[in-house]
């Protein structure tokens, strides 16, 4: 496991502050989505509390709008980092007409965002890994310099589609990053029920590509590793597998009761490694952040989400006939 | 007798059969903690992790290893977490399980059950709402059952487990806690194959299966108050199909409405309509009608849109009135 | 004009479209050496290995990477080597390609063609003979075409490649070298959707698609000599389905026979019969009949058994005589 | 790649002679099946010329009738070694009523043989790997000492089912041997189109199990390696992947023209490594075999196959109604 001793280079403090802010916004938004479900105001919630360093750290390594992004349902932090407004994410939560990601059709957090090259995904685990490989093949064929990143959990690596996608990407040395957020559980199943290896990154060896395990709760390490890997991809050195070890603090989804399969002690232990606390402490120690500035960031995030919730909840539902649109292209 | 929900009926069947057959096991994702719908709640403690098996997140192999287990003396009952996630296992179901006996000229059998929660109406959105029976009931070599009551759910699951061939057992998620019934204590089975006349009436015939059969029955009761007397046929099993019951029910009233939750075109309703159009032709007094979800790619998350698309008691009652008036 | 076989028509369409569109590519197993049926013969030399791409032996990813390519500006035309090996790709076809546009509210499109050789009659045995159209034509969001002549094969493949949505292109293996036709030089397309009346007659109507449409036409010619005059409707496209043409053809004669090679129960014939039974009811003079392969799990290797099971010109003619006499 | 220097231990010469005989019989039978197709007497042929050392060598490591065997279409040598009569294999070739493996329903060489625990397979590549894992799980659950072996080509390792099966077996440490006959081609596609690694055995590393590459043209090495691996399986040490590097001398099937994708020089080179010649020379050198005895073995094989062909070709076809049998159990 790589834990880089990242010294803050001059000129990077704004960047790190921005990352920190997005991690906080992502956490506040995620907490709120869960709460809205618990209050009976949202039918379903799936969120990524605990994954913020992995998500925001990796997303900050991307060239937004140029690189292709295939997030999974837990990637609130990726979307926030890419610049999706909480309001838009909340329109999806409430399945409203204006939901730019699916028009209220998909479960929350199944994003599509063409402007940012965020590609639509289903709920079918691992099915989008071959899409990432295909997108990267097209980039190469058409001679474009962009890189594709696809996100998934460690459970997803059990699916045949994981294998076929990584194998295809390796054969053609495609510019694609397979980014695994390993939180140790697939719903209730702990990692050893999914694989007989300690590190998801070891899967890479069967394909002849490099795998790299990083501390997924350390945003700066994630950023640096992902940057390096993307750089290698861009230089045509082929696909890579990154495993970011982390933990989810919330139940799998609003339908799950994680007390059936995780001890509170384990959760407690990981809470002490909270990725947001960790980056905050680092920034405070380095003098990039002050307690006051931190308070302002948190208050602003709360305010932003409050306003977004209020507006999104009031947005109109789609009209009935909307259900028939876009089965096929309408101009065809 | 005891009052049981649909899902309790399923759990009781699993536990009773596990008690009977030491070679039986249940397997699937999150099975040990009870399954996402809690069908296997408490089974880990009772039967241990070898017989209550958490599988990797990999549907093709869930069915594939089950086939192997069945071949080597076990009785696997696999769970696919949602019907929407059954497609990765289609090759194992269709190319393998369904053709296992036929292609080996009875050399090998595949006594296996695959339980699959299906259906909409729970705000499950596009990938937690689908119906997949039309594809599977089309495959010779698979038995496909879709019980609509707790009584049938328990009895047919037991029959499925004791069946020497692969049985796809489709259980409606919305039925799990909605449907309750007094069930007899102890062992009973409900045979795979025969449809069940759930109501007899001379004005029109409604044919359905799964949770929609329940909705049809409700609609029929509603219409009885208006003086329209309906026969309601609950197919219960789609493969092998009870053609005689279909033809007899259609003949009786000369007017048939078929209802299913799956989308219309190419749905299993087409098969039922075709059987009626061929074998009850002389007795038909009206066009054979179908009511189904319109042809859109699965249910939207938005609740209003889901209600708009999904067949319901009200829509069924309307279609029945319409047909009765023909 | 030039005399072309069915497979030459396909190859010509591929090559002409590759010439037109520099972002188009063909991919699949053994594509570079020409494909096991030689559909892509000579294309490697002409377009190079990046655009004539040999994939690993992995159908799910063949479709999966095609979806990705289509998303990023390419026009992939994938080949699955046999319809029998399409099941491993069903999840990608159904959960992904078919719902790509709908679930992204038109944010993303998936302009992709999947060519799939299907069908029996070539002694291909259980796993090189299957028909899979019923399952795919049931899926909203997929277009499914099954041309029955070299002319349509070329024109519809071009239309499919230019279509903004995923098109499943089913080509009958036995048609490849058996069917020949004079084709116009140069570019033309045949639209996806409209059925084609291949023969008009007032006694009975036969409805079919794919290679069976050809067999039906032959049978109809045979019966014309006996004084039975048949309408033959070749659907060509199963999804979106030309319902009006079906209803009109059935109405014209009041007697309809539906023929397909896929097995009977749950086959696409059910849908066609259901449409007729609902929308042509008042004009029907006879039961709606279906002729299809019996419900066994795919074709035996033994040639006599295959011939016994498979619908043929003779069996179609018999069924037509029977219906005409009703 | 392991090439064991196998000294002939005393008491093993009968065994090696028997292996040699089965390799010869397998070759003669395979050649004949191809010839029958070329003569228009058989609709289809798929055979394993060149794979005899891998097939017979590994099959001789099994406890026939106790261990479970999942062969693939190329495994004529495995079946011959297990004791299936050429006559029975030929009934399948001709799709005759008496074909014990499928009643004339399956393509030739898609065997099922319950008495020998040879399990039915489809033509769908890799689909039977999960079956092998499931069979082995049952062996373990029911406390039986048997081992399962499943055969496949290197192309099969590209399929998702390969991944899911090996992963499942590794997680449960099941007694199953994944035996890859790597002949360098999947129909026309050479190995580098299927994977970015040199050795299929390297795939094992992604699952936390051992992989072993052996010279698949050396029957004695294959025997020894497979024995060792099976012994480990029996002792509960979990699954293994064996890669036997070999070459097929015939086209992929009777429908294939291998001149489109392989040079005659390459074929020539491999012909010099013929596994049958190799074992013959070894046995001659060790004095276990004499030229005369060799001649007798070959003549006997020819005679046996001649007679079997004649009898099988005359056997009756199934009656039409037979097509409807055994869709489901008939006693049910
Ligand atoms: C093909 C498929 N099977 C099952 C599911 C149900 N399911 C949803 S999430 C999940 C667990 C995923 O675990 P992992 O990949 O580790 O991601 P995490 O949720 O832990 O971030 C499962 C089994 C699904 N969505 N798709
Ligand atoms: C799922 C599937 N896809 C494609 C095919 C067609 N096919 C038959 S054999 C074969 C190549 C197999 O290569 P390999 O696994 O290396 O075995 P070999 O034939 O070389 O021994 C292919 C592509 C098939 N039978 N099944
Ligand atoms: Mg996880
Ligand atoms: Mg090979």
């Amino acid at each position: 496991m790589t834990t880089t001793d990242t010294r803050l280079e001059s000129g990077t403090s704004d960047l790190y502050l921005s990352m920190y802010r997005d991690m906080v916004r992502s956490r506040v938004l995620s907490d709120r989505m869960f709460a809205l479900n618990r209050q009976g105001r949202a039918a379903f919630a799936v969120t990524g509390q605990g994954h913020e360093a992995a998500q925001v750290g990796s997303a900050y390594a991307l060239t937004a709008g140029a690189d292709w992004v295939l997030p999974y349902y837990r990637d609130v932090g990726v979307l926030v980092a890419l610049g999706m407004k909480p309001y838009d994410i909340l329109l999806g939560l409430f399945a409203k007409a204006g939901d730019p990601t699916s028009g209220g059709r998909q479960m929350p957090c199944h994003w599509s965002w063409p402007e940012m090259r965020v590609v639509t995904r289903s709920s079918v685990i691992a099915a989008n890994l071959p899409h990432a490989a295909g997108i990267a093949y097209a980039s190469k064929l058409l001679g474009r310099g962009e890189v594709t990143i696809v996100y998934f959990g460690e459970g997803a690596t059990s699916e045949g589609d994981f294998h076929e996608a990584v194998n295809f990407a390796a054969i053609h040395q495609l510019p694609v990053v397979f980014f695994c957020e390993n939180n140790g559980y697939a719903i209730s199943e702990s990692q050893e029920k999914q694989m007989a290896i300690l590190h998801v990154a070891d899967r890479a060896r069967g394909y002849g590509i490099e795998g790299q395990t990083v501390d997924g709760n350390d945003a700066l390490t994630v950023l640096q590793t992902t940057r390096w890997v993307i750089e290698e991809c861009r230089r045509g050195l082929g696909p890579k597998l990154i495993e970011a070890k982390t933990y989810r603090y919330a139940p799998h989804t609003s339908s799950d009761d994680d007390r059936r399969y995780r001890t509170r002690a384990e959760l407690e232990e990981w809470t002490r490694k909270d990725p947001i606390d960790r980056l905050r402490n680092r920034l405070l120690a380095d003098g990039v952040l002050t307690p006051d500035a931190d308070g302002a960031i948190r208050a602003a995030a709360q305010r932003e989400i409050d306003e977004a919730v209020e507006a999104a909840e009031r947005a109109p539902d789609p009209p009935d006939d909307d259900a028939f649109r876009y089965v096929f292209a309408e101009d065809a | 007798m005891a009052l049981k929900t649909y899902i309790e009926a399923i759990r009781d069947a699993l536990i009773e059969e596990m008690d009977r057959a030491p070679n039986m096991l249940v397997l699937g994702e999150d099975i040990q903690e009870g399954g996402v719908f809690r069908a296997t709640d408490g089974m880990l403690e009772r039967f241990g992790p070898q017989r209550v098996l958490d599988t990797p997140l990999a549907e093709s192999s869930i069915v594939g290893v089950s086939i192997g287990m069945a071949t080597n003396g076990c009785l696997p009952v696999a769970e696919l977490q949602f019907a929407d996630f059954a497609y990765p296992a289609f090759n194992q179901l269709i190319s393998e399980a369904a053709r296992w006996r036929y292609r080996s000229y009875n050399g090998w059998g595949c006594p296996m059950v695959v339980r699959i929660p299906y259906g909409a109406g729970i705000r499950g959105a596009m990938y937690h709402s689908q119906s997949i029976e039309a594809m599977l009931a089309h495959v010779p070599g698979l038995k496909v059952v879709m019980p609509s009551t707790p009584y049938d759910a328990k009895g047919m699951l037991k029959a499925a487990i004791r069946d020497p061939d692969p049985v796809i057992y489709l259980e409606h998620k919305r039925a799990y806690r909605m449907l309750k019934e007094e069930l007899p204590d102890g062992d009973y089975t409900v045979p795979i194959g025969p449809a069940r006349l759930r109501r007899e009436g001379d004005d029109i015939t409604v044919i359905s299966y799964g949770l929609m059969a329940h909705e049809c029955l409700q609609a029929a009761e509603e219409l009885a108050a208006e003086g329209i007397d309906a026969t309601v046929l609950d197919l219960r099993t789609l493969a092998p199909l009870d053609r005689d019951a279909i033809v007899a029910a259609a003949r009786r009233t000369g007017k048939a409405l078929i209802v299913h939750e799956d989308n219309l075109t190419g749905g299993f309703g087409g098969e039922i309509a075709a059987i009626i159009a061929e074998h009850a032709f002389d007795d038909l007094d009206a066009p054979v009608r179908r009511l189904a979800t319109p042809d859109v790619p699965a249910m939207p998350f938005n609740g209003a849109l889901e209600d708009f698309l999904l067949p319901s008691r009200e829509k069924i009652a309307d279609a029945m009135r319409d047909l009765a008036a023909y």
Side-chain angles (χ1 to χ4, degrees), chain A, chain B:
Chain A
M1 167 139 32
T2 315
T3 304
T4 324
D5 175 27
T6 325
R7 268 169 225 297
L8 295 187
E9 301 150 39
S10 63
T12 56
S13 57
D14 280 358
L15 180 76
Y16 296 151
L17 274 179
S18 172
M19 279 175 61
Y20 177 68
R21 192 177 299 109
D22 282 346
M23 287 168 66
V24 169
R25 293 169 70 224
S26 174
R27 175 71 60 88
V28 172
L29 175 57
S30 293
D31 284 344
R32 184 64 59 86
M33 291 200 286
F34 237 87
L36 287 164
N37 170 268
R38 293 296 183 238
Q39 295 160 11
R41 291 156 72 188
F44 181 79
V46 54
T47 54
Q49 294 96 325
H51 289 230
E52 290 87 355
Q55 294 172 358
V56 175
S58 58
Y60 267 73
L62 303 171
T63 308
D67 292 331
W68 291 82
V69 188
L70 289 79
Y72 81 124
Y73 47 80
R74 215 168 282 301
D75 283 326
V76 177
V78 173
L79 273 287
V80 166
L82 287 174
M84 182 169 274
K85 289 198 209 63
Y87 172 73
D88 284 334
I89 292 175
L90 288 159
L91 285 177
L93 181 79
F94 295 122
K96 297 297 192 173
D99 161 28
T101 74
S102 87
R105 290 168 179 187
Q106 289 252 55
M107 273 191 162
C109 300
H110 286 57
W111 302 281
S112 148
W113 191 15
E115 294 72 21
M116 271 305 156
R117 294 191 161 172
V118 173
V119 180
T120 174
R121 63 161 281 154
S122 69
S123 303
V124 185
I125 301 285
N128 62 339
L129 274 70
H131 308 157
I135 289 168
Y137 186 91
S139 299
K140 197 174 168 181
L141 179 70
L142 305 176
R144 303 204 196 115
E146 69 240 13
V147 170
T148 298
I149 189 165
V150 55
Y151 292 90
F152 50 91
E154 82 292 347
T157 70
S158 298
E159 287 280 2
D161 269 2
F162 166 85
H163 175 72
E164 298 189 13
V166 178
N167 195 43
F168 185 91
I171 291 167
H172 295 287
Q173 290 291 296
L174 300 179
V176 54
V177 181
F178 295 96
F179 193 98
C180 179
E181 300 177 30
N182 182 355
N183 58 16
Y185 289 89
I187 310 187
S188 73
E189 295 195 20
S190 54
Q191 180 180 324
E192 66 270 19
K193 291 180 181 171
Q194 302 290 342
M195 64 195 79
I197 50 178
L198 275 179
H199 307 295
V200 168
D202 291 344
R203 292 247 195 259
R205 304 161 81 190
Y207 306 101
I209 68 166
E210 253 175 88
Q212 177 98 29
T213 299
V214 299
D215 180 345
N217 279 20
D218 178 355
L220 302 188
T221 300
V222 172
L223 171 68
Q224 213 167 61
T225 306
T226 313
R227 269 186 176 162
W228 167 79
V229 158
I230 286 186
E231 197 39 51
E232 294 227 315
C233 274
R234 251 190 255 290
R235 283 167 48 212
L237 298 177
K240 298 276 185 305
L241 173 61
I242 299 179
E243 172 192 24
K245 302 242 198 220
T246 186
Y247 199 80
R248 72 167 147 75
Y249 296 139
H252 171 66
T253 67
S254 55
S255 312
D256 179 43
D257 176 4
D258 62 317
R259 277 167 305 194
R260 284 203 299 261
Y261 54 83
R262 302 195 300 193
T263 64
R264 292 307 90 181
E266 182 186 287
L267 179 59
E268 197 49 56
E269 194 193 312
W270 275 94
T271 307
R272 269 179 265 126
K273 303 186 215 162
D274 189 308
I276 297 183
D277 292 346
R278 183 148 164 193
L279 183 56
R280 183 198 311 110
N281 292 337
R282 175 67 189 270
L283 297 181
L284 288 170
D286 285 339
V288 171
L289 187 68
T290 62
D292 277 1
D294 182 38
I297 286 173
R298 293 173 167 261
Q302 290 290 356
R303 217 167 31 242
E304 179 191 19
I305 307 302
D306 285 347
E307 288 169 14
V309 167
E310 209 191 321
E313 209 171 8
R314 267 185 291 127
D317 278 333
D320 286 348
D321 270 8
D322 198 61
F324 299 124
R325 297 199 68 182
Y326 305 128
V327 177
F328 295 114
E330 298 199 344
D331 37 318
Chain B
M1 303 285 275
L3 190 68
K4 296 280 186 178
T5 61
Y6 190 94
I7 195 151
E8 285 166 346
I10 288 172
R11 190 187 306 130
D12 287 354
L14 291 175
I15 292 175
E16 289 172 26
E17 293 299 298
M18 288 278 273
D19 278 335
R20 263 173 54 102
N23 60 334
M24 180 179 150
L25 75 168
V26 293
L27 68 159
E29 297 157 11
D30 306 294
I31 286 293
Q32 292 185 349
E33 65 114 9
V36 294
F37 295 108
R38 325 235 34 78
T40 54
D41 211 11
M43 291 182 70
L44 173 67
E45 294 70 25
R46 186 165 178 146
F47 301 107
Q50 310 303 320
R51 294 181 64 201
V52 179
L53 174 62
D54 266 354
T55 65
L57 208 180
E59 288 72 15
S60 183
S61 62
I62 291 175
V63 175
V65 302
S66 296
I67 293 170
M69 291 165 177
T71 297
N72 191 7
C74 288
L75 274 180
V77 178
E79 176 183 299
L80 299 180
Q81 206 160 69
F82 286 85
D84 316 62
F85 309 140
Y87 302 120
F90 260 43
N91 183 59
Q92 287 292 344
L93 292 171
I94 298 171
S95 300
E96 304 300 330
R99 313 194 188 306
W100 205 249
R101 186 183 298 282
Y102 189 79
R103 76 181 184 219
S104 66
Y105 203 71
N106 207 34
W108 295 103
C110 186
M112 169 180 89
V113 179
V114 185
R115 291 180 39 242
I116 314 181
Y118 82 98
I122 58 151
R123 307 297 180 246
M126 294 186 64
Y127 294 97
H128 297 79
S129 301
Q130 295 174 43
S131 298
I132 58 168
E133 71 276 6
M135 297 185 184
L136 296 172
H138 176 50
V139 178
L142 292 181
K143 298 185 180 180
V144 180
V145 302
M146 299 181 77
S148 74
T149 65
Y151 182 88
D152 285 351
K154 181 170 179 185
M156 296 186 82
L157 182 49
K158 287 187 162 227
I161 291 168
R162 299 178 198 180
D163 197 277
D165 289 301
V167 181
I168 311 292
Y169 182 94
L170 291 163
E171 42 195 69
H172 201 294
K173 299 187 282 289
R174 197 158 65 91
Y176 280 157
R177 285 168 181 84
M178 184 177 91
L179 302 185
K180 293 190 188 65
E181 192 174 6
E182 290 284 343
L183 298 193
D185 299 322
D187 190 49
Y188 70 92
T189 62
V190 172
I192 294 175
R196 178 171 161 205
L197 261 187
R198 297 196 60 195
R199 196 181 190 290
E200 301 195 58
D202 290 326
D203 295 329
I204 59 169
T205 293
V206 186
I207 302 176
S208 191
Y209 52 82
L211 185 60
M212 277 297 141
H214 172 83
E215 300 286 316
C216 289
L217 197 61
Q218 306 268 316
E221 300 300 342
E222 189 179 322
L223 261 71
E226 302 171 19
I228 300 172
D229 219 12
T231 286
V232 177
L233 185 70
D234 177 2
L235 293 177
R236 304 197 293 189
T237 300
L238 297 196
L241 185 59
D242 192 345
R243 292 184 180 78
D244 293 344
I246 293 171
V247 173
R251 280 221 171 106
R252 172 172 182 157
T253 67
K255 293 179 172 183
L257 169 70
I258 300 150
V259 180
H260 58 62
E261 189 178 312
D262 194 11
N263 66 283
L264 182 75
T265 300
F268 200 74
E271 179 62 33
I272 302 167
I275 288 170
I276 295 170
E278 177 155 9
H279 300 291
F281 176 74
D282 290 327
D283 294 294
L284 285 183
D285 302 321
V288 183
R289 293 258 168 88
R290 290 179 293 165
L291 176 66
T293 296
D295 290 320
V296 303
M299 285 298 153
F301 183 52
N302 181 280
L305 291 191
E306 181 172 39
D307 294 342
F308 170 69
L309 290 172
L310 201 59
S312 61
R313 185 185 321 179
E314 296 71 37
K315 290 177 201 163
I316 297 166
D318 283 347
M320 288 170 72
R321 282 187 200 98
D322 211 55
L323 184 57
Y326 185 89

